[in-house]
Amino acid sequence: MDLQLDLFTALAAEPAEPVPTPRRTAPPAAPARPTPAAPPSASPPRAKPAVRKRMSDEDVHRTAAALGEAVTDAWNRAHGGPDIAVPIGLVAALSLIRQHDAHGPDLKAQILAQQPRELIEMYQQIWAGHWQARPDLIDRARVLHEWLNKPDEIDDHRAYCVKAVTEAALRAGILDLTGHSDPIDRARTDALSHVIMLLRSKGARQGLGEFHTPPSVSDLLAEATLSALSADLNMATMQPGQHIHDPAGGSGGLLRSAAQALRWRGLDPADFQWSMVDVDAIAAACGAVNAIVWGLGPNVVVACDDTLANPNAVEDARAHARAVIAHRNQVMGTARMIAAIRQAQSLLESTVAA
């Protein structure tokens, strides 16, 4: 597949996040684009990415709600079954990618053109690539993608459901919410929260004590909290290195709001420590994915635990994260060694042949 995905190539280092910019009241001016010359062949030109207009906050939240409805409807119409981690995981994976080249082939059009089995391969690549960069968070999100590790068990109906949900999510605007290069724009709403809430039955939500907090409310809470802390510390702003924690984090909505509030103060969330706990494995998995999407940085711990029953939930999760990172380092070190051996063998064979 020739997809312009924001995937990490094999053995490549994680690309740096863009430097956060101050809060904007108007979209940045779009760069002028030269008019491309007509191709010499008769084949139709490749679709170019549409120029995205910066949506208002109201439109962003409305799009996120519509996304949840579209994905839920597509999954149910396709008779996807009770495993709601599958459609949620598909939306989560799509939230991790973005247009590499603003003047290149349109990412949305390329994905929509893929066949069901090609989409399965694409999702495997997305999760594998991000595991290389953030194994701690991708491991926490395992419930969303572990079914992809058994491709022989993915039948034609499951592949059909994957295609249906992918199309619904793209057409409902997932890339308009999370496909931006600037983390400020990627963190304007929690797209996964709506998907979770609508796919879950009312009884399951009540049993888990799970409720969606409107972004406007979480923004207000975060702003009030940070303002109070700043006043208590007799400082104009929060200080890098401080720890921001949510003991009942859900998919991370309050952390998102806190990160945005820091950016409005000219601070980088990557300079802070973040942690959240939630008893629901799917919500915690989405919180882990959102931490990447929202650019919270390297110091993030997501625990799937009961805060009241285990006061050491964050420390336990941190220890697990260190073990996962050590495993990644071992695997990648072995892969580099194998690659070096193969390169040496190839050079030797070419020398002997000459």
Side-chain angles (χ1 to χ4, degrees):
M1 295 182 295
D2 181 24
L3 294 177
Q4 296 291 322
L5 303 182
D6 188 23
L7 304 181
F8 304 111
T9 55
L11 312 182
E14 181 180 7
E17 284 284 358
V19 176
T21 54
R23 187 172 191 174
R24 295 191 295 263
T25 57
R33 296 186 181 180
T35 303
S41 63
S43 59
R46 293 182 296 181
K48 294 292 184 180
V51 178
R52 289 195 186 99
K53 294 182 179 179
R54 194 169 192 272
M55 294 186 289
S56 66
D57 289 343
E58 182 180 354
D59 286 339
V60 166
H61 303 322
R62 185 184 296 115
T63 299
L67 169 69
E69 293 174 357
V71 168
T72 301
D73 182 66
W75 180 251
N76 291 334
R77 284 178 179 271
H79 302 287
D83 190 0
I84 63 171
V86 174
I88 295 171
L90 298 176
V91 180
L94 291 173
S95 73
L96 288 169
I97 63 176
R98 61 189 68 99
Q99 187 84 31
H100 247 327
D101 180 1
H103 302 287
D106 182 53
L107 176 59
K108 176 180 175 181
Q110 286 186 296
I111 298 177
L112 288 173
Q114 301 303 301
Q115 296 302 312
R117 292 292 171 178
E118 293 175 321
L119 288 174
I120 298 294
E121 180 183 351
M122 181 195 76
Y123 284 116
Q124 291 169 336
Q125 292 176 6
I126 292 172
W127 289 111
H130 282 276
W131 177 84
Q132 293 181 40
R134 289 305 304 265
D136 52 332
L137 296 177
I138 297 304
D139 183 76
R140 176 60 64 204
R142 186 190 306 171
V143 66
L144 302 180
H145 58 80
E146 58 186 349
W147 61 276
L148 287 164
N149 297 330
K150 302 175 181 178
D152 294 339
E153 298 180 12
I154 301 175
D155 58 18
D156 289 343
H157 178 68
R158 173 57 61 86
Y160 165 76
C161 294
V162 168
K163 175 75 170 174
V165 170
T166 301
E167 291 179 346
L170 288 171
R171 288 172 176 151
I174 179 62
L175 296 182
D176 295 325
L177 298 175
T178 61
H180 306 276
S181 60
D182 191 336
I184 287 181
D185 289 328
R186 294 201 304 271
R188 294 181 70 194
T189 193
D190 182 356
L192 295 178
S193 175
H194 292 278
V195 181
I196 296 174
M197 297 300 291
L198 290 173
L199 278 167
R200 272 224 167 97
S201 67
K202 181 179 179 180
R205 293 197 303 271
Q206 291 177 338
L208 289 166
E210 191 170 77
F211 300 95
H212 173 72
T213 302
S216 57
V217 175
S218 62
D219 288 347
L220 181 62
L221 289 172
E223 183 63 37
T225 301
L226 291 184
S227 296
L229 285 173
S230 298
D232 290 343
L233 294 170
N234 198 26
M235 300 174 184
T237 62
M238 292 281 286
Q239 293 297 302
Q242 287 184 285
H243 184 189
I244 300 173
H245 172 66
D246 188 349
S251 54
L254 287 175
L255 297 190
R256 178 199 68 80
S257 296
Q260 294 293 75
L262 290 174
R263 289 180 172 120
W264 305 154
R265 289 166 165 77
L267 298 171
D268 186 351
D271 294 332
F272 290 75
Q273 297 183 53
W274 303 86
S275 63
M276 58 164 277
V277 183
D278 200 273
V279 70
D280 174 32
I282 291 179
C286 289
V289 171
N290 279 334
I292 299 173
V293 175
W294 299 335
L296 298 189
N299 304 310
V300 181
V301 178
V302 179
C304 181
D305 211 328
D306 186 337
T307 302
L308 297 177
N310 181 15
N312 297 319
V314 172
E315 288 305 318
D316 291 346
R318 184 175 284 114
H320 178 75
R322 285 196 293 265
V324 171
I325 292 171
H327 172 68
R328 186 278 312 270
N329 293 343
Q330 181 181 11
V331 170
M332 297 304 293
T334 301
R336 289 189 179 94
M337 184 181 298
I338 292 173
I341 291 172
R342 287 178 176 173
Q343 184 179 17
Q345 288 176 336
S346 178
L347 290 173
L348 179 60
E349 290 171 0
S350 62
T351 301
V352 171

